[in-house]
Amino acid sequence: MQKSIVVIAALTLLLVSPAIAAGGQRGDWELGPYVGYAWLDSYGKVAPDNHLLYGGRIGYFVTSRWSLEASYQLFKTHLDAANTVDFKADALRLNALYNFREGKPLRFHLTAGVGQETTKISSIFESTDTSWNGGAGVRYFFTPSFALRGDARYVSTRVGAGLNQTQGNVEATLGLTWALGGGPAPDDDHDGVPDHRDACPHTPRGASVDGRGCPADADGDGVFNGIDACSDTPKGTPVDVKGCPIDSDGDGVPDGADKCPNTPPGTKVDAKGCPIDADGDGVPNEADACPDTPRGTRVDARGCPLDGDGDGVFDGNDDCPNTPKGATVDARGCPKDGDGDGVFDGIDRCPGTPAGSPVDSTGCPRAVKAAPLFTETKKSLVLEGVNFKTNSAVLTIESSAVLDGVAASLKDWAEVRVEVGGHTDSTGNDAYNLTLSKRRAQSVVDYLASKGVDKSRMTSKGYGKADPIADNKTDAGRAKNRRVELKKAD
């Protein structure tokens, strides 16, 4: 009895010492008193009454999950109705506990260990024996350092001193426990905020948190401050796991702001992620062999200007894109005709011809007046030798000689007015043939006008296949039907 009083007194003194709670981290101490109830097995023919027990314990956390615990408890009851025969048992035990961390404020544990049990029946019987025990329990933490603890265990003791039998007792205990901080407060997510104060207990490691343990995300990209390698990402920008903007085409403009997300590698881009095209010709600077092309100029795949008629004025800026080779042009690309004879400067061999003088195709005066195109009986004329490129209204080079003669005659016979008619064969779509014939007739009018014939004296008309002069069933017939015909207008 004296031994038990000393042990309990020592434990009580420890309980009143100041404690910094950690709730069971490595290096913590845990101690407290308990009371309980024991259901006893019979001792031979003797059956002690079940009764209350009381005791105290002290433990040490080797890790946050494993702890060692020493306990001392005392049990006293009687064997007879008159309470004249005392039954006393005390136990000194050493147990190992496995502590589960899941659950707040509950923390469950399993326990198992070995002990020394001393059993005494008045002055009749006394035996000190080794016991084994195992059980489970739970702590309910009111604060991080103070908890209510309940345990249930089975105790097996091989009793000697003449009995030579194994006793199996069951115990249930309820007590208080204090945690004395030897290690840091539990912080499962390692964010610096103890679990008991952490409102966000699963914060990714390395994230910056507020006083509640919750992470912040200043740029709103879904990657928390502290682990965000690019903490000032613009709102709405897609990011990688490090919080840095994704740039699929590698042009330096993040995908969310990139208006041209498939820019070829190495291409210089503007703030929108689109290739820089300084001259606005549709070819990026890196691929542009002619980076200073004037605005509006048509270019080839290399970014260099096209000049279909070779007059030095680029296509797109050329108002007269079919200028004859060698003609002198103005800034608009249109031919100049200083003496007004219908032959352009640059190809006019006689640039000072007096106004109104008949000239030949070289711009030089003709000695005689050109023959008329029509007579009293001849009112129409098929322009043999006037041909066009396939499926187009572009005159062939060979057509110039014929049309130059027509232009010369019309200029010499200023009173004559004509209709230029375009005709096709029966091959192909009717609507297409009609449109093509109109365009070809107009090309002839334009050419004659370029040679000095007043446009007001000429009209153009497309007939398509409507007015054949030969059989469309033969190649020869179809060739005759593809023609330009002049008619004298009244």
Side-chain angles (χ1 to χ4, degrees):
M1 182 67 179
Q2 185 177 8
K3 180 175 66 173
S4 64
I5 293 173
V6 172
V7 172
I8 294 172
L11 292 174
T12 304
L13 289 173
L14 284 172
L15 289 176
V16 299
S17 64
I20 300 175
Q25 283 291 96
R26 182 175 62 84
D28 285 356
W29 290 89
E30 181 182 41
L31 66 160
Y34 64 87
V35 297
Y37 196 84
W39 291 265
L40 300 184
D41 200 353
S42 62
Y43 285 71
K45 297 181 180 180
V46 177
D49 292 339
N50 302 326
H51 205 272
L52 295 174
L53 61 85
Y54 54 94
R57 56 196 159 211
I58 182 169
Y60 178 77
F61 281 82
V62 180
T63 70
S64 62
R65 293 191 181 273
W66 287 99
S67 61
L68 295 176
E69 181 176 87
S71 66
Y72 176 78
Q73 72 182 40
L74 180 65
F75 174 86
K76 185 176 182 180
T77 186
H78 300 89
L79 296 180
D80 61 333
N83 295 332
T84 58
V85 180
D86 294 333
F87 180 93
K88 177 183 176 184
D90 60 2
L92 184 63
R93 296 173 183 156
L94 179 64
N95 279 29
L97 279 72
Y98 181 79
N99 304 278
F100 297 92
R101 293 205 60 80
E102 292 74 15
K104 292 181 180 180
L106 294 176
R107 187 174 184 184
F108 294 91
H109 59 267
L110 300 175
T111 177
V114 64
Q116 179 178 288
E117 311 283 331
T118 300
T119 304
K120 185 175 183 181
I121 301 175
S122 293
S123 59
I124 304 171
F125 172 86
E126 181 174 355
S127 179
T128 300
D129 305 286
T130 301
S131 67
W132 302 91
N133 72 89
V138 62
R139 301 176 185 85
Y140 182 90
F141 282 89
F142 297 102
T143 73
S145 63
F146 177 63
L148 182 66
R149 173 174 165 178
D151 286 86
R153 75 182 71 238
Y154 179 82
V155 183
S156 178
T157 307
R158 180 67 180 175
V159 181
L163 288 180
N164 295 320
Q165 68 177 42
T166 300
Q167 301 297 120
N169 300 333
V170 176
E171 299 174 356
T173 61
L174 184 67
L176 301 176
T177 183
W178 281 262
L180 307 181
D187 181 13
D188 281 351
D189 57 6
H190 303 281
D191 61 359
V193 178
D195 289 349
H196 68 277
R197 290 197 295 108
D198 199 336
C200 302
H202 302 297
T203 303
R205 184 167 295 203
S208 302
V209 298
D210 57 21
R212 298 168 56 246
C214 292
D217 181 12
D219 54 7
D221 60 2
V223 180
F224 300 130
N225 295 357
I227 56 178
D228 193 339
C230 302
S231 57
D232 56 353
T233 304
K235 296 287 184 183
T237 302
V239 298
D240 57 23
V241 293
K242 295 182 179 179
C244 292
I246 297 173
D247 180 13
S248 299
D249 56 7
D251 60 2
V253 179
D255 287 358
D258 198 335
K259 302 299 182 184
C260 302
N262 298 312
T263 304
T267 302
K268 293 182 180 179
V269 298
D270 57 22
K272 295 181 179 180
C274 293
I276 297 174
D277 178 15
D279 55 8
D281 60 2
V283 180
N285 287 3
E286 283 75 11
D288 199 337
C290 302
D292 300 318
T293 303
R295 294 280 173 177
T297 301
R298 294 173 55 201
V299 298
D300 58 23
R302 297 169 56 249
C304 291
L306 299 174
D307 182 12
D309 56 7
D311 61 1
V313 179
F314 303 132
D315 294 355
N317 297 320
D318 196 338
D319 290 343
C320 301
N322 297 313
T323 302
K325 296 290 183 182
T328 303
V329 299
D330 57 22
R332 296 166 49 244
C334 292
K336 299 177 181 179
D337 184 9
D339 55 9
D341 60 1
V343 179
F344 301 131
D345 296 354
I347 56 176
D348 192 342
R349 294 181 182 175
C350 302
T353 304
S357 299
V359 295
D360 57 22
S361 60
T362 65
C364 294
R366 292 197 309 272
V368 294
K369 194 174 185 180
L373 298 175
F374 308 104
T375 64
E376 289 297 325
T377 59
K378 183 181 179 183
K379 302 295 185 180
S380 65
L381 173 66
V382 175
L383 299 181
E384 300 288 349
V386 174
N387 296 302
F388 301 87
K389 294 183 179 180
T390 304
N391 287 328
S392 94
V394 178
L395 289 160
T396 62
I397 296 175
E398 294 79 8
S399 303
S400 299
V402 177
L403 292 177
D404 286 349
V406 172
S409 178
L410 289 176
K411 287 194 290 185
D412 283 352
W413 300 90
E415 71 280 5
V416 176
R417 302 173 64 83
V418 296
E419 176 196 275
V420 180
H423 299 264
T424 69
D425 59 27
S426 61
T427 304
N429 180 273
D430 292 353
Y432 176 78
N433 284 338
L434 182 60
T435 301
L436 182 60
S437 64
K438 289 178 180 179
R439 291 169 53 216
R440 287 178 169 178
Q442 186 61 46
S443 291
V444 172
V445 169
D446 292 342
Y447 185 89
L448 294 175
S450 72
K451 295 298 182 179
V453 180
D454 190 347
K455 271 193 173 184
S456 65
R457 297 170 55 199
M458 299 179 288
T459 60
S460 64
K461 185 174 181 180
Y463 290 90
K465 67 176 186 178
D467 190 15
I469 59 174
D471 189 354
N472 273 312
K473 294 181 180 180
T474 67
D475 290 343
R478 287 192 293 272
K480 288 184 178 181
N481 289 333
R482 297 190 297 269
R483 68 193 187 280
V484 176
E485 188 172 348
L486 295 184
K487 290 183 180 179
K488 184 177 180 182
D490 295 332

